[in-house]
Amino acid sequence: MDNMNPPYSQDVLQMVKTAIGQLNAVERMLNEGVCCTQVATQIAAAQGLMKKAVSLIAKDRMDKCLPSKGEEELSQALQVLIEKTNK
């Protein structure tokens, strides 16, 4: 790994692992025919966690990588982050 792309924080990795667990639970619930409101709640929880992870990733990258970039690159990176998080 080079200095321009340091590893992500343990918080982000844990969020991804937790979301994977939640999605595995969704798959099990769907196969078992669990009530749709319970399935939807689990999906919403995973979705919320992934949104939080995206925010942490964006902050992490901005703190670690973008200070070495020029103003135009910074502006482009921010635009991409805004577009990705608003989907």
Side-chain angles (χ1 to χ4, degrees):
M1 197 140 322
D2 62 42
N3 289 336
M4 294 304 294
N5 292 308
Y8 292 100
S9 73
Q10 288 299 312
D11 291 341
V12 171
L13 293 172
Q14 187 57 51
M15 284 181 192
V16 170
K17 289 178 183 180
T18 301
I20 289 169
Q22 289 173 325
L23 292 174
N24 285 333
V26 168
E27 181 180 27
R28 179 186 44 76
M29 293 166 81
L30 291 171
N31 286 327
E32 294 173 358
V34 172
C35 174
C36 64
T37 57
Q38 292 175 340
V39 174
T41 298
Q42 192 72 354
I43 290 171
Q47 190 175 30
L49 195 56
M50 287 291 80
K51 285 184 176 188
K52 187 174 179 181
V54 168
S55 294
L56 282 178
I57 288 169
K59 182 184 179 321
D60 183 66
R61 293 297 98 170
M62 288 174 68
D63 290 345
K64 292 178 181 174
C65 300
L66 294 181
S68 63
K69 304 289 184 189
E71 189 173 321
E72 185 175 334
E73 288 176 278
L74 178 59
S75 177
Q76 289 173 348
L78 289 173
Q79 185 60 41
V80 169
L81 291 172
I82 290 167
E83 289 173 9
K84 297 293 181 186
T85 57
N86 285 330
K87 286 187 175 187

